[in-house]
Amino acid sequence: MSNKNFISVQFKKLTQSQLAIPIFSLLLLVVFNLIRDPSFFSIAIKQNNMGNTVLAGNLISILNGASELVILAIGMTLVTSATKGQDISIGAAAAIAGSIFVKVLRANTITIPMILFALLLACVVAILFCLFNGILIAKFNIQPMIASLILYTAGRPIAYWINGGATPNVDSPLLSCLGGFIPGIPVPSPIIIVIIFILLINAILKFTTIGLYIQSVGINERAAKLNGISPVWMKLLVFVILGICVSLAGSMNVCRIGLINHETILIDIEMDAILAVAIGGNALSGGKFKLTGSIIGAYIIQTLTITLYAMKVSSTAVKAYKAIVIIAIVVIGSPVVKKWFSQVRAKIASKFVKVEAK
């Protein structure tokens, strides 16, 4: 194969990849920031308030700040794939999970076993609430966004009621380590937790048929049923996984700030999670998915947020600027633009062939 043919083939593979748009978008943000401020992604070694040597900088802030969003984007991807819709109540469910987490810890001496027990109980409660949505969707065929609207509306008041109408705090060095830095480890704990979670999910999808079954239900529910796959059980399974994601994200956020505020915890996170799925090249109509795309999408959103703050954009205007950029990214990844791009790619490829023929 000649060099020109090789370049043409590689260019075609790159542009046809589902990850082309998210990777290009992330690279665009990286280049923009390097031009605007060459030191934007520099990493510094500092000492925090506890006297520990830690890594600091915008890159660390992006990786750390996106932790909850990455976890929720993974759960949202699986729900989208299986149900052909999105759950808009994950922020409210995270508030409930965080409230349970805080209530258990405040009633007991905070130790590592107690933290694990509180996380487990928060996980069970979050799964039950997510399964409420799952049953409405899987058994009663209610559209996912409508089904989850109930918990979206009632979830935060429930979280408020769990702790007796208060916003209690939890103060413990152990929680500070989980939400900040473990002594002797310069990388923020949430980043480590996310890496472990991603590896665990990838291992489950790689060594089991769960991922294939989820995609099968999302692509053609009737065909999946004829092949012995239960659409109902697969849909309920993705909501169980979503419950785990929700409880982990909610508990992690509590560890970060040391309290539970039902009104502000992970506010609007559901919209960012849906956008992460879309930016990652996953169809919001369900079917095939790539978790890598959603993870990159989550980091794109966080990179954009940090970039806007670095440019001194006010917090009230950040959402508007994010919306403009995200709309552009979603439009670029739309079927119409992809079709036009494939036509351009075909013309470029044909020129390579003609030049070589000469």
Short mmCIF file of all heavy atoms in Angstrom, two decimals, residues 9-44:
data_model
loop_
_atom_site.label_atom_id
_atom_site.label_comp_id
_atom_site.label_asym_id
_atom_site.label_seq_id
_atom_site.Cartn_x
_atom_site.Cartn_y
_atom_site.Cartn_z
N VAL A 9 -6.73 5.84 3.94
CA VAL A 9 -7.41 4.83 4.75
C VAL A 9 -7.47 5.26 6.21
O VAL A 9 -8.51 5.16 6.88
CB VAL A 9 -6.72 3.45 4.62
CG1 VAL A 9 -7.28 2.47 5.64
CG2 VAL A 9 -6.90 2.90 3.21
N GLN A 10 -6.34 5.76 6.71
CA GLN A 10 -6.28 6.18 8.11
C GLN A 10 -7.19 7.39 8.36
O GLN A 10 -7.85 7.48 9.39
CB GLN A 10 -4.83 6.53 8.50
CG GLN A 10 -3.90 5.33 8.50
CD GLN A 10 -4.38 4.21 9.40
OE1 GLN A 10 -4.79 4.44 10.55
NE2 GLN A 10 -4.35 2.99 8.91
N PHE A 11 -7.24 8.30 7.38
CA PHE A 11 -8.10 9.47 7.50
C PHE A 11 -9.57 9.04 7.54
O PHE A 11 -10.37 9.57 8.31
CB PHE A 11 -7.85 10.41 6.31
CG PHE A 11 -8.71 11.65 6.33
CD1 PHE A 11 -8.46 12.67 7.23
CD2 PHE A 11 -9.77 11.80 5.44
CE1 PHE A 11 -9.24 13.82 7.25
CE2 PHE A 11 -10.57 12.93 5.46
CZ PHE A 11 -10.29 13.94 6.36
N LYS A 12 -9.89 8.05 6.71
CA LYS A 12 -11.26 7.55 6.68
C LYS A 12 -11.65 6.89 7.99
O LYS A 12 -12.74 7.11 8.53
CB LYS A 12 -11.42 6.55 5.53
CG LYS A 12 -12.86 6.07 5.31
CD LYS A 12 -12.95 5.17 4.10
CE LYS A 12 -14.38 4.69 3.88
NZ LYS A 12 -14.49 3.80 2.71
N LYS A 13 -10.73 6.08 8.54
CA LYS A 13 -10.99 5.41 9.81
C LYS A 13 -11.18 6.44 10.93
O LYS A 13 -12.08 6.31 11.76
CB LYS A 13 -9.83 4.48 10.17
CG LYS A 13 -9.81 3.18 9.39
CD LYS A 13 -8.66 2.31 9.87
CE LYS A 13 -8.62 0.99 9.11
NZ LYS A 13 -7.49 0.13 9.56
N LEU A 14 -10.34 7.47 10.92
CA LEU A 14 -10.40 8.48 11.97
C LEU A 14 -11.72 9.24 11.92
O LEU A 14 -12.37 9.44 12.95
CB LEU A 14 -9.23 9.45 11.82
CG LEU A 14 -9.18 10.62 12.81
CD1 LEU A 14 -9.00 10.10 14.23
CD2 LEU A 14 -8.05 11.57 12.46
N THR A 15 -12.13 9.65 10.74
CA THR A 15 -13.35 10.45 10.61
C THR A 15 -14.61 9.63 10.80
O THR A 15 -15.66 10.17 11.16
CB THR A 15 -13.39 11.14 9.24
OG1 THR A 15 -13.23 10.15 8.20
CG2 THR A 15 -12.29 12.18 9.11
N GLN A 16 -14.53 8.32 10.56
CA GLN A 16 -15.70 7.47 10.75
C GLN A 16 -15.86 7.00 12.18
O GLN A 16 -16.92 6.50 12.56
CB GLN A 16 -15.63 6.25 9.81
CG GLN A 16 -15.92 6.58 8.36
CD GLN A 16 -15.88 5.33 7.47
OE1 GLN A 16 -15.25 4.33 7.81
NE2 GLN A 16 -16.56 5.40 6.34
N SER A 17 -14.83 7.17 12.98
CA SER A 17 -14.87 6.72 14.37
C SER A 17 -15.88 7.53 15.17
O SER A 17 -16.02 8.74 14.99
CB SER A 17 -13.49 6.84 15.00
OG SER A 17 -13.55 6.62 16.39
N GLN A 18 -16.57 6.85 16.07
CA GLN A 18 -17.53 7.52 16.95
C GLN A 18 -16.85 8.52 17.87
O GLN A 18 -17.45 9.50 18.30
CB GLN A 18 -18.26 6.48 17.80
CG GLN A 18 -19.33 7.05 18.72
CD GLN A 18 -20.03 5.98 19.54
OE1 GLN A 18 -20.18 4.84 19.09
NE2 GLN A 18 -20.44 6.32 20.74
N LEU A 19 -15.56 8.29 18.13
CA LEU A 19 -14.82 9.16 19.03
C LEU A 19 -14.20 10.36 18.33
O LEU A 19 -13.53 11.18 18.97
CB LEU A 19 -13.71 8.35 19.74
CG LEU A 19 -14.17 7.19 20.61
CD1 LEU A 19 -12.97 6.45 21.18
CD2 LEU A 19 -15.08 7.66 21.73
N ALA A 20 -14.39 10.47 17.00
CA ALA A 20 -13.76 11.55 16.24
C ALA A 20 -14.18 12.93 16.75
O ALA A 20 -13.34 13.80 17.00
CB ALA A 20 -14.09 11.41 14.75
N ILE A 21 -15.50 13.14 16.90
CA ILE A 21 -16.01 14.45 17.32
C ILE A 21 -15.56 14.80 18.74
O ILE A 21 -15.05 15.90 18.98
CB ILE A 21 -17.54 14.52 17.19
CG1 ILE A 21 -17.97 14.35 15.73
CG2 ILE A 21 -18.07 15.84 17.75
CD1 ILE A 21 -17.46 15.42 14.81
N PRO A 22 -15.75 13.90 19.74
CA PRO A 22 -15.32 14.26 21.09
C PRO A 22 -13.82 14.51 21.21
O PRO A 22 -13.40 15.44 21.90
CB PRO A 22 -15.77 13.07 21.95
CG PRO A 22 -16.06 11.97 21.01
CD PRO A 22 -16.48 12.61 19.73
N ILE A 23 -13.01 13.69 20.54
CA ILE A 23 -11.56 13.88 20.61
C ILE A 23 -11.17 15.20 19.95
O ILE A 23 -10.34 15.96 20.48
CB ILE A 23 -10.82 12.70 19.94
CG1 ILE A 23 -10.98 11.44 20.80
CG2 ILE A 23 -9.34 13.02 19.74
CD1 ILE A 23 -10.39 10.19 20.19
N PHE A 24 -11.77 15.49 18.79
CA PHE A 24 -11.49 16.75 18.09
C PHE A 24 -11.90 17.94 18.96
O PHE A 24 -11.18 18.94 19.05
CB PHE A 24 -12.23 16.79 16.75
CG PHE A 24 -12.12 18.11 16.04
CD1 PHE A 24 -10.96 18.46 15.38
CD2 PHE A 24 -13.18 19.02 16.05
CE1 PHE A 24 -10.85 19.69 14.73
CE2 PHE A 24 -13.08 20.24 15.41
CZ PHE A 24 -11.91 20.57 14.74
N SER A 25 -13.07 17.84 19.61
CA SER A 25 -13.56 18.93 20.46
C SER A 25 -12.63 19.16 21.65
O SER A 25 -12.32 20.31 22.01
CB SER A 25 -14.96 18.61 20.96
OG SER A 25 -15.85 18.40 19.89
N LEU A 26 -12.16 18.06 22.25
CA LEU A 26 -11.25 18.18 23.39
C LEU A 26 -9.92 18.79 22.96
O LEU A 26 -9.38 19.67 23.64
CB LEU A 26 -11.03 16.80 24.02
CG LEU A 26 -10.21 16.76 25.32
CD1 LEU A 26 -10.87 17.62 26.40
CD2 LEU A 26 -10.05 15.34 25.81
N LEU A 27 -9.41 18.34 21.81
CA LEU A 27 -8.15 18.89 21.30
C LEU A 27 -8.30 20.38 20.98
O LEU A 27 -7.37 21.17 21.20
CB LEU A 27 -7.71 18.13 20.05
CG LEU A 27 -7.17 16.72 20.28
CD1 LEU A 27 -6.88 16.04 18.95
CD2 LEU A 27 -5.91 16.76 21.13
N LEU A 28 -9.46 20.76 20.45
CA LEU A 28 -9.71 22.16 20.13
C LEU A 28 -9.66 23.02 21.40
O LEU A 28 -9.07 24.11 21.40
CB LEU A 28 -11.08 22.30 19.46
CG LEU A 28 -11.38 23.60 18.72
CD1 LEU A 28 -10.41 23.78 17.57
CD2 LEU A 28 -12.80 23.61 18.21
N LEU A 29 -10.26 22.53 22.48
CA LEU A 29 -10.22 23.25 23.74
C LEU A 29 -8.79 23.33 24.30
O LEU A 29 -8.38 24.37 24.83
CB LEU A 29 -11.13 22.56 24.77
CG LEU A 29 -12.62 22.89 24.70
CD1 LEU A 29 -13.40 21.98 25.62
CD2 LEU A 29 -12.88 24.34 25.05
N VAL A 30 -8.05 22.23 24.14
CA VAL A 30 -6.66 22.21 24.62
C VAL A 30 -5.82 23.23 23.85
O VAL A 30 -5.08 24.03 24.45
CB VAL A 30 -6.06 20.79 24.47
CG1 VAL A 30 -4.56 20.82 24.72
CG2 VAL A 30 -6.73 19.82 25.44
N VAL A 31 -5.93 23.22 22.52
CA VAL A 31 -5.16 24.16 21.70
C VAL A 31 -5.54 25.61 22.01
O VAL A 31 -4.67 26.48 22.13
CB VAL A 31 -5.38 23.86 20.19
CG1 VAL A 31 -4.76 24.95 19.32
CG2 VAL A 31 -4.80 22.51 19.83
N PHE A 32 -6.85 25.86 22.15
CA PHE A 32 -7.32 27.21 22.47
C PHE A 32 -6.70 27.71 23.76
O PHE A 32 -6.23 28.86 23.86
CB PHE A 32 -8.85 27.22 22.57
CG PHE A 32 -9.41 28.52 23.07
CD1 PHE A 32 -9.53 29.61 22.24
CD2 PHE A 32 -9.82 28.65 24.41
CE1 PHE A 32 -10.05 30.82 22.70
CE2 PHE A 32 -10.33 29.85 24.88
CZ PHE A 32 -10.45 30.94 24.02
N ASN A 33 -6.68 26.86 24.77
CA ASN A 33 -6.13 27.26 26.07
C ASN A 33 -4.62 27.44 26.03
O ASN A 33 -4.08 28.33 26.69
CB ASN A 33 -6.51 26.23 27.14
CG ASN A 33 -7.92 26.44 27.67
OD1 ASN A 33 -8.22 27.46 28.25
ND2 ASN A 33 -8.79 25.47 27.45
N LEU A 34 -3.94 26.61 25.25
CA LEU A 34 -2.49 26.75 25.14
C LEU A 34 -2.11 28.04 24.42
O LEU A 34 -1.09 28.67 24.73
CB LEU A 34 -1.90 25.53 24.41
CG LEU A 34 -1.93 24.21 25.18
CD1 LEU A 34 -1.41 23.08 24.32
CD2 LEU A 34 -1.10 24.32 26.47
N ILE A 35 -2.93 28.43 23.43
CA ILE A 35 -2.68 29.70 22.73
C ILE A 35 -3.00 30.88 23.65
O ILE A 35 -2.26 31.85 23.72
CB ILE A 35 -3.53 29.78 21.44
CG1 ILE A 35 -3.06 28.74 20.43
CG2 ILE A 35 -3.45 31.18 20.83
CD1 ILE A 35 -3.94 28.61 19.22
N ARG A 36 -4.13 30.76 24.36
CA ARG A 36 -4.55 31.84 25.26
C ARG A 36 -3.61 31.99 26.44
O ARG A 36 -3.28 33.11 26.86
CB ARG A 36 -5.97 31.54 25.76
CG ARG A 36 -6.61 32.65 26.56
CD ARG A 36 -7.95 32.18 27.12
NE ARG A 36 -7.79 31.03 28.00
CZ ARG A 36 -7.42 31.12 29.28
NH1 ARG A 36 -7.15 32.29 29.83
NH2 ARG A 36 -7.30 30.03 30.02
N ASP A 37 -3.19 30.84 26.99
CA ASP A 37 -2.30 30.86 28.15
C ASP A 37 -1.44 29.58 28.12
O ASP A 37 -1.93 28.51 28.50
CB ASP A 37 -3.12 30.91 29.44
CG ASP A 37 -2.25 30.91 30.70
OD1 ASP A 37 -1.02 31.01 30.56
OD2 ASP A 37 -2.80 30.79 31.81
N PRO A 38 -0.19 29.68 27.65
CA PRO A 38 0.66 28.49 27.53
C PRO A 38 0.84 27.70 28.82
O PRO A 38 1.16 26.52 28.79
CB PRO A 38 2.01 29.08 27.06
CG PRO A 38 1.64 30.37 26.39
CD PRO A 38 0.47 30.91 27.17
N SER A 39 0.64 28.36 29.95
CA SER A 39 0.82 27.69 31.24
C SER A 39 -0.49 27.14 31.80
O SER A 39 -0.55 26.73 32.96
CB SER A 39 1.44 28.65 32.25
OG SER A 39 0.55 29.74 32.51
N PHE A 40 -1.56 27.14 30.97
CA PHE A 40 -2.89 26.77 31.47
C PHE A 40 -2.89 25.35 32.04
O PHE A 40 -3.52 25.09 33.06
CB PHE A 40 -3.91 26.86 30.33
CG PHE A 40 -5.32 26.56 30.76
CD1 PHE A 40 -6.10 27.53 31.38
CD2 PHE A 40 -5.88 25.30 30.55
CE1 PHE A 40 -7.40 27.26 31.78
CE2 PHE A 40 -7.19 25.02 30.95
CZ PHE A 40 -7.94 26.00 31.57
N PHE A 41 -2.20 24.43 31.39
CA PHE A 41 -2.22 23.02 31.82
C PHE A 41 -1.01 22.64 32.66
O PHE A 41 -0.75 21.45 32.87
CB PHE A 41 -2.32 22.09 30.60
CG PHE A 41 -3.64 22.17 29.89
CD1 PHE A 41 -3.75 22.83 28.67
CD2 PHE A 41 -4.78 21.62 30.45
CE1 PHE A 41 -4.96 22.90 28.01
CE2 PHE A 41 -6.00 21.70 29.79
CZ PHE A 41 -6.09 22.34 28.58
N SER A 42 -0.25 23.62 33.11
CA SER A 42 0.92 23.31 33.94
C SER A 42 0.47 22.76 35.29
O SER A 42 -0.57 23.13 35.83
CB SER A 42 1.77 24.57 34.14
OG SER A 42 1.03 25.57 34.80
N ILE A 43 1.28 21.87 35.81
CA ILE A 43 0.99 21.24 37.11
C ILE A 43 2.03 21.68 38.13
O ILE A 43 3.23 21.58 37.87
CB ILE A 43 0.97 19.71 36.99
CG1 ILE A 43 -0.13 19.27 36.02
CG2 ILE A 43 0.78 19.06 38.35
CD1 ILE A 43 -0.17 17.78 35.77
N ALA A 44 1.58 22.16 39.25
CA ALA A 44 2.47 22.62 40.31
C ALA A 44 2.40 21.67 41.51
O ALA A 44 1.41 20.96 41.70
CB ALA A 44 2.10 24.04 40.75
#
